[in-house]
Amino acid sequence: MFGNYLIGLREGLEASLVVCILIAYLVKTDRRDALKPVWIGIAVAVVLALGFGFALEFGSQELTFEAQEALGGSLSIIAVGLVTWMVFWMRRTARHLRSELHGRLDAALRMGTAALVATAFLAVGREGLETALFVWASVRASNDGTQGPLIGVLLGILTAVVLGYLFYRGTVRINLAKFFTWTGGMLVVVAAGVLAYGVHDLQEADFLPGLTNKAFDISGTVPPDSWYGTLLKGVFNFQPDPTVVQVVVWVLYLVPTLAFFLAPSRSGRRGAGSPAPVREEV
């Protein structure tokens, strides 16, 4: 549940920050007349993300078992690729997010209402689609027969919305760069588990070999239905009896990705840990 909460918090906070920056800029520049088109673009983006999530969940239920596993495994791998790109992108641009969005908004203001709607839609829509895909893949990977994974995601998103409002009001200040570094590192660990689960799905669909070739089996020591087994699965998508291919893929993804992500930025030692208080961002 914690892993899914982290996903909801991290992804939701990115979207919340984008919304805060857009709205705060229009208010500060006395362009309240442009708020309605921006909110329309945001609303359309949210509806699109929800529709995409529902399509993934209910559309896959009509498929055969093999097709479900093939689809789930493929989308899990795509989701991991997207979230990996996203955490590196945010690590690099967190300190400049405000100026980038302000530039896009200034251009849209000169072009008119349709451009404002499109700018808000694109800014939030990308985050929404990435969130929907990765949440679906993560919930599917950590599904333990309960509503815990989904509840974790919803609680994370709700926390992000509350924090976004507090950021906008100036009540809360946080070092954005450090926040995205720590949560990004944890998200890479979660993504490694989702990737391993996606590989297992492809093995079950007979797209990849080695389904019966287990790397180890500690089900007796860490029963999947025990509280600690459930905790490990919820946080790290841990599987007590992974295949050799799963373990190899997990290691090959996690070790270099985490090493590159935590390495000092080329722009200087301040890198991802340089101060970036939220009050300056929004």
Side-chain angles (χ1 to χ4, degrees):
M1 183 172 175
F2 174 76
N4 293 287
Y5 175 82
L6 174 65
I7 294 169
L9 174 62
R10 164 73 188 231
E11 301 289 328
L13 189 57
E14 286 188 23
S16 295
L17 286 175
V18 169
V19 172
C20 288
I21 291 170
L22 293 176
I23 299 303
Y25 183 64
L26 292 176
V27 172
K28 289 178 180 179
T29 56
D30 199 25
R31 289 301 308 268
R32 294 177 182 270
D33 57 301
L35 287 175
K36 184 177 180 180
V38 168
W39 279 117
I40 291 175
I42 292 170
V44 173
V46 171
V47 171
L48 176 64
L50 290 174
F52 182 55
F54 278 111
L56 288 173
E57 176 62 24
F58 296 106
S60 62
Q61 293 180 2
E62 303 299 322
L63 303 174
T64 63
F65 173 78
E66 290 77 11
Q68 286 184 18
E69 298 304 294
L71 177 65
S74 300
L75 291 180
S76 294
I77 293 173
I78 293 173
V80 169
L82 287 174
V83 81
T84 303
W85 172 85
M86 177 270 297
V87 296
F88 276 95
W89 177 83
M90 184 55 74
R91 177 184 184 271
R92 186 178 65 254
T93 62
R95 296 187 303 277
H96 313 294
L97 183 62
R98 181 185 64 175
S99 58
E100 180 179 334
L101 288 173
H102 285 180
R104 294 181 186 177
L105 203 53
D106 283 335
L109 286 169
R110 292 192 294 268
M111 296 175 65
T113 301
L116 284 170
V117 174
T119 299
F121 170 77
L122 292 174
V124 179
R126 186 195 66 182
E127 303 288 347
L129 291 176
E130 287 179 358
T131 301
L133 179 56
F134 193 60
V135 163
W136 178 81
S138 179
V139 169
R140 190 172 184 274
S142 59
N143 185 24
D144 55 6
T146 69
Q147 297 300 317
L150 184 58
I151 292 174
V153 171
L154 293 177
L155 288 176
I157 293 175
L158 180 60
T159 304
V161 171
V162 173
L163 286 175
Y165 175 76
L166 294 177
F167 293 159
Y168 176 76
R169 303 298 299 178
T171 307
V172 172
R173 302 182 70 177
I174 188 174
N175 187 312
L176 275 185
K178 286 185 177 180
F179 173 84
F180 284 122
T181 296
W182 284 102
T183 57
M186 290 187 286
L187 206 56
V188 168
V189 176
V190 174
V194 173
L195 179 61
Y197 189 86
V199 168
H200 185 265
D201 280 350
L202 293 179
Q203 288 180 306
E204 289 192 324
D206 288 333
F207 271 65
L208 291 175
L211 181 61
T212 60
N213 188 13
K214 302 293 184 181
F216 54 83
D217 189 348
I218 56 174
S219 301
T221 306
V222 186
D225 56 352
S226 64
W227 69 266
Y228 46 92
T230 302
L231 179 65
L232 287 172
K233 185 174 180 62
V235 176
F236 302 110
N237 290 314
F238 174 77
Q239 184 179 335
D241 57 343
T243 65
V244 172
V245 175
Q246 281 183 275
V247 172
V248 170
V249 168
W250 184 85
V251 172
L252 289 179
Y253 168 81
L254 181 63
V255 174
T257 303
L258 207 54
F260 278 116
F261 182 74
L262 297 178
S265 172
R266 291 184 179 180
S267 59
R269 286 289 175 182
R270 292 173 62 200
S274 57
V278 165
R279 192 174 184 84
E280 292 182 4
E281 295 290 342
V282 297

